[in-house]
Amino acid sequence: MTNVKSLWLHAAVILLLFALNFLLPEYHRGIFSRVMVLAVFAMGYNLAFGYTGLLSLGHAMFFAAGLYGAGLTIYHLGWSVWPALGAGLLAGTLLALVVGFLALRTTGVAFMIVTLMFAQVFYLTTLYFTTYTRGEEGLVLPQAMRSLALPGASFSLTDPATRYMAALALLTIVLGLVLILVRSPYGRALIAIRENEERMRMLGYDVFANKLASVVISGLICAAAGAAYAVLFGYVGSGFASIQYSILPLLWVLLGGAATTLGPLIGTLFMFYIIDTASDYTTAYLLVVGLALILLILYFPKGIAGTVRERWLPWLP
Amino acid sequence: MAAVTPLLSTRGLSRSFGGLKAVREVDFALPEGQIRAIIGPNGAGKTTFVSLVCGRILPSSGTVVFDGRDVSRLPAHKRVRAGIAYTFQITSIFSNLTVFDNVALAAQRHLLDDRQARPTARALEEEGMAALEKTGLADFAEKRAGNLAYGHQRLLEVAMGLALKPRLLILDEPTQGLSDGEIDSFVALVREIGREATVLLIEHNMDVVMALAERITVMDQGRILAEGTPEEIRADKAVQQAYLGG
Ligand SMILES: Nc1ncnc2c1ncn2[C@@H]1O[C@H](COP(=O)(O)OP(=O)(O)OP(=O)(O)O)[C@@H](O)[C@H]1O
Ligand SMILES: [Mg+2]
């Protein structure tokens, strides 16, 4: 019963986003495209942070691994979009496997610091190879190379409507994946590990293996977002590997509701519009953002979707 | 005369914390199907001893053999899957999850490992509720575990242990905080569990021990001081001095 309700809700959200493609003015449709891709990043982060309780401060490296995996192969090797996306996914997944394997030997603050250090190393690496990455300035992918081949047709990802639909397709796949995952026995185990690791160990669960799998899937999803970002928006720069992009998904998730399936999308959207609105009125928009965040934490301590779940809709996944 | 190999045995099992020898050179054997009690004064090393058995902490030296297999180097989660379940002395439950979800996590583990079964919603419901009914917690299934009364949280620990369907169930002071009435039904419950599993019970309440244990092991200062039937232990002078009489 609750399963049915939650399926309908998620389907309705996707349908609404689909309809918005035709309703939104151009400017806002552009924002939504970007938000959907970054919301996927946030969803990946949420799997590790929200569901498994792993507070990583280095997830920018997974996003950036996807971004560079796709971007560099297109720019330097002339790969087409599909294999480039594959390269991005692979890069992020492998990186998550290695980083997870090493970082998960620590917990708590040490884990935060170790993930932060790894991400910093990744960031500095992108700067070190400036010859290939052009560092902060970044690479702009040639428009001609950003076309997506599907059976029977080829679509240019530079077209706003195509771009919107491609972002929505990615969001739909990842949202579905996360929904299935968190309701599966494996997802329940992750939540329980977050709640009481020692008890889980004494219930016969391999805590390390479960956490590692969580980090790898999380890295994969973030890399998917990064790779999609590269081909959809055609820009690949070191900024995306910087500490700022490790903090942002944390804020989006906290704002929208940690350990909720829709929270990351809500949080990302919200933050974009707070910034967008505030920067129209004042140059000190970061102050407004900070204030908005404080108010939200005061009145929605569990994030928007998290608080809605707590007060009104306990069946929300 | 074929000697029956015990379900659990330890040889020279020791563990020190810094300079303190919490468990020293313990040789212990527990035959399958028995209900065994471990008693002893506070700090005798009872919890440390069973923690070495279930792998929660690692020994300084010595071996643990379970079901004919040396499990001394096996991590805790693998020992649990081999059939050793441990209920914590200091209550350790998933406070933020419902009572049902607590036992479902244990049932899920057992269903994942059982080749003939799968952790479907239905199987989880059946096994989870069975464990809650046995422990008298069925009425609280949808309640948040952290909101249960303390005694009920202790019972939830036991229910989780049961849902694992273990071969050896280790209960570390399970009756702490239970009312007299609850203790009576608890004794009946352990008797019933004892029909299917081997039980290792650490307990301070001597009425419970005398009602349940087929044999009693007495620990003091990290060593086994005596072992025997309840009658023998009651009559033992050294035990009386260290524990019962004191
Ligand atoms: N993690 C630890 N670090 C240091 N010392 C410990 C640790 N665990 C136990 N000890 C010490 O080892 C000794 C044995 O403790 P243990 O908990 O095994 O006793 P116990 O017989 O279970 O006592 P109780 O009846 O109070 O539960 C005690 O002196 C205790 O202080
Ligand atoms: Mg103890």
Side-chain angles (χ1 to χ4, degrees):
Chain A
M1 186 60 215
T2 60
N3 258 322
V4 177
K5 269 195 239 171
S6 106
L7 268 182
W8 276 115
L9 176 69
H10 288 78
V13 168
I14 296 298
L15 272 176
L16 176 69
L17 286 170
F18 181 81
L20 284 177
N21 175 51
F22 307 100
L23 302 174
L24 286 177
E26 198 52 57
Y27 173 72
H28 290 282
R29 182 161 76 170
I31 289 194
F32 266 68
S33 303
R34 211 168 285 261
V35 163
M36 285 192 284
V37 174
L38 293 174
V40 168
F41 179 21
M43 283 177 192
Y45 185 78
N46 189 31
L47 190 69
F49 166 66
Y51 286 99
T52 322
L54 297 167
L55 208 173
S56 150
L57 290 183
H59 261 56
M61 70 181 135
F62 304 132
F63 182 82
L67 188 87
Y68 277 110
L72 292 179
T73 49
I74 290 178
Y75 193 87
H76 291 295
L77 305 176
W79 287 19
S80 61
V81 166
W82 283 118
L85 286 174
L89 287 188
L90 193 67
T93 311
L94 287 180
L95 182 66
L97 189 66
V98 173
V99 170
F101 189 79
L102 297 170
L104 285 172
R105 278 144 209 283
T106 65
T107 52
V109 176
F111 181 79
M112 290 159 60
I113 292 171
V114 171
T115 47
L116 182 77
M117 297 312 283
F118 272 114
Q120 204 58 20
V121 169
F122 189 97
Y123 173 59
L124 293 174
T125 308
T126 65
L127 293 181
Y128 182 80
F129 290 103
T130 295
T131 339
Y132 302 103
T133 63
R134 289 231 212 98
E136 295 281 1
E137 184 195 328
L139 305 169
V140 176
L141 304 182
Q143 297 218 350
M145 305 207 62
R146 289 162 51 204
S147 78
L148 188 72
L150 286 177
S154 172
F155 297 92
S156 171
L157 296 173
T158 52
D159 169 60
T162 312
R163 182 151 63 189
Y164 186 95
M165 285 305 169
L168 178 58
L170 175 70
L171 181 86
T172 308
I173 293 170
V174 172
L175 188 61
L177 177 77
V178 170
L179 190 60
I180 292 171
L181 205 66
V182 301
R183 307 212 119 212
S184 71
Y186 172 65
R188 287 195 292 267
L190 292 187
I191 294 172
I193 286 174
R194 175 192 76 199
E195 292 295 318
N196 189 342
E197 196 174 311
E198 171 72 352
R199 179 73 259 189
M200 274 307 263
R201 187 171 290 119
M202 295 317 293
L203 286 179
Y205 289 84
D206 187 340
V207 170
F208 182 82
N210 277 288
K211 281 183 177 175
L212 183 60
S214 164
V215 170
V216 170
I217 301 172
S218 166
L220 169 77
I221 296 174
C222 295
Y229 197 95
V231 299
L232 291 181
F233 302 102
Y235 169 75
V236 174
S238 296
F240 289 113
S242 69
I243 173 82
Q244 190 193 351
Y245 274 83
S246 287
I247 303 294
L248 279 173
L250 172 63
L251 291 182
W252 294 329
V253 167
L254 282 177
L255 194 58
T260 62
T261 48
L262 290 169
L265 174 65
I266 299 170
T268 313
L269 192 64
F270 220 81
M271 187 89 121
F272 254 79
Y273 274 97
I274 297 175
I275 294 180
D276 193 63
T277 317
S279 52
D280 280 351
Y281 295 103
T282 161
T283 49
Y285 65 92
L286 279 177
L287 192 72
V288 180
V289 173
L291 269 176
L293 284 177
I294 290 169
L295 285 177
L296 263 154
I297 298 291
L298 282 179
Y299 293 100
F300 290 84
K302 301 214 160 152
I304 299 166
T307 305
V308 167
R309 167 162 71 191
E310 193 172 68
R311 300 211 183 130
W312 301 290
L313 306 175
W315 50 267
L316 220 58
Chain B
M1 186 181 116
V4 186
T5 44
L7 179 66
L8 171 74
S9 62
T10 69
R11 285 204 72 77
L13 199 59
S14 307
R15 170 72 206 218
S16 335
F17 295 108
L20 177 86
K21 291 184 172 146
V23 170
R24 20 182 141 181
E25 299 284 326
V26 170
D27 297 332
F28 177 87
L30 178 59
E32 179 137 34
Q34 196 174 83
I35 298 181
R36 171 78 60 98
I38 299 183
I39 63 172
N42 291 113
K46 306 179 296 292
T47 297
T48 308
F49 173 67
V50 296
S51 297
L52 293 170
V53 168
C54 68
R56 214 161 64 85
I57 57 179
L58 290 174
S60 311
S61 62
T63 55
V64 180
V65 176
F66 181 72
D67 197 20
R69 172 169 164 224
D70 186 341
V71 296
S72 315
R73 295 287 145 217
L74 227 51
H77 70 266
K78 289 200 178 147
R79 296 194 207 186
V80 176
R81 290 200 208 175
I84 304 177
Y86 173 72
T87 68
F88 289 76
Q89 174 172 11
I90 298 160
T91 308
S92 177
I93 56 176
F94 304 103
S95 302
N96 289 324
L97 305 185
T98 64
V99 171
F100 174 77
D101 284 345
N102 272 261
V103 282
L105 282 157
Q108 171 175 310
R109 182 70 263 163
H110 142 76
L111 288 165
L112 283 169
D113 293 337
D114 185 342
R115 279 165 206 279
Q116 268 104 55
R118 284 192 30 199
T120 57
R122 177 128 168 245
L124 285 175
E125 172 87 22
E126 258 169 37
E127 300 217 342
M129 286 314 290
L132 290 181
E133 256 145 38
K134 278 190 189 158
T135 44
L137 293 173
D139 290 345
F140 307 112
E142 292 311 315
K143 207 168 163 170
R144 192 176 156 274
N147 292 343
L148 286 180
Y150 179 74
H152 287 156
Q153 294 191 7
R154 301 292 303 151
L155 285 174
L156 181 55
E157 281 265 354
V158 179
M160 281 195 267
L162 278 183
L164 283 171
K165 302 246 156 106
R167 297 185 61 193
L168 170 64
L169 179 60
I170 301 172
L171 299 165
D172 199 345
E173 300 197 21
T175 64
Q176 230 180 63
L178 295 194
S179 69
D180 289 349
E182 285 167 338
I183 287 182
D184 289 343
S185 42
F186 178 79
V187 168
L189 170 65
V190 175
R191 264 205 202 104
E192 199 191 313
I193 299 169
R195 274 198 271 274
E196 282 165 22
T198 310
V199 177
L200 188 53
L201 171 72
I202 298 177
E203 186 54 66
H204 277 299
N205 182 328
M206 286 313 289
D207 294 338
V208 173
V209 172
M210 290 300 168
L212 283 172
E214 291 161 56
R215 286 181 79 78
I216 297 174
T217 300
V218 186
M219 285 188 76
D220 187 29
Q221 296 179 28
R223 270 191 260 267
I224 293 186
L225 186 67
E227 195 176 298
T229 62
E231 293 71 33
E232 286 165 357
I233 294 303
R234 227 196 298 253
D236 192 304
K237 285 276 180 329
V239 174
Q240 284 175 6
Q241 248 172 10
Y243 189 53
L244 297 175

